[in-house]
Amino acid sequence: APTGSVGKTDKLVFHPEEDLPRLADFSALGAPLWLAIGSERGWTDEEMVTLQCWGFAACSLGRRILKTETAALAATSIVLGKMGLL
């Protein structure tokens, strides 16, 4: 996975693909922040293109495939911690 700063974003789409940046790679998160979390299968190619056209930056929660409910809780917790709100 890429390392280093990716930049600032206010829209994140989580997708289970290993070559995507990690949440920690983003230099800053804007507020309000939009999170797009799909099913365990991940997003289809068409859905990813649409989300990226809407300004969502793709990132990964790691190698393991998480259930949707777990991914939502993990992503929210990581984001709130990164924003200093936990």
Side-chain angles (χ1 to χ4, degrees), residues 10 16 21 25-26 34 37 55-56 59 62-65 70 75 77 83 85:
D10 62 353
D25 295 331
F26 288 86
W34 292 76
I37 300 166
F56 281 80
C59 70
R63 287 193 219 170
R64 293 191 171 164
I65 302 297
T70 305
S77 297
M83 294 176 85
L85 298 173

Side-chain angles (χ1 to χ4, degrees), residues 59-72:
C59 70
S60 171
L61 284 173
R63 287 193 219 170
R64 293 191 171 164
I65 302 297
L66 302 175
K67 290 195 168 284
T68 302
E69 298 83 358
T70 305

Side-chain angles (χ1 to χ4, degrees), residues 17-49:
E17 191 173 292
E18 286 193 41
D19 63 344
L20 292 175
R22 297 169 303 146
L23 185 52
D25 295 331
F26 288 86
S27 62
L29 300 175
L33 180 67
W34 292 76
L35 302 178
I37 300 166
S39 69
E40 291 87 1
R41 67 165 170 77
W43 300 93
T44 65
D45 291 341
E46 183 178 318
E47 290 168 332
M48 286 298 291
V49 168

